[in-house]
Amino acid sequence: RRSPRPHTAHKLADALGIPIGDLMLPSVHKQQRLRYIATRLRQLRKESNLTQKDVASHVTVGRSTYAQWENAYRPGERGT
């Protein structure tokens, strides 16, 4: 998936110790929302002194999947 599913977003918020609203952005273009969430995930994870593996384990996904969320990975858009 290109971004976390809603139930996974709640787990992410829990892992980072924040309200779910801190991860969300009002209705904007999907790509802007993905970039915002990616930036916010990285920022909050670092503020919580957690590794990508720590957060990924908490939400029961692989570290590489979590890393893709932090990098706003979309197929065909590497390097942008």
Side-chain angles (χ1 to χ4, degrees), residues 9-72:
H10 284 278
K11 287 183 180 181
L12 284 168
D14 182 53
L16 297 168
I18 60 165
I20 186 67
D22 285 0
L23 285 178
M24 299 300 117
L25 184 66
S27 183
V28 294
H29 185 271
K30 185 175 182 176
Q31 188 59 33
Q32 288 176 306
R33 187 170 55 247
L34 288 173
R35 286 188 187 126
Y36 173 83
I37 291 171
T39 301
R40 196 75 177 116
L41 284 174
R42 181 178 295 113
Q43 174 188 21
L44 292 165
R45 177 181 58 78
K46 288 182 177 186
E47 287 174 5
S48 299
N49 295 315
L50 297 170
T51 65
Q52 289 181 339
K53 186 176 179 179
D54 294 334
V55 179
S57 293
H58 189 81
V59 297
T60 61
V61 298
R63 193 217 45 89
S64 62
T65 297
Y66 178 78
Q68 289 177 359
W69 296 341
E70 272 197 12
N71 292 309

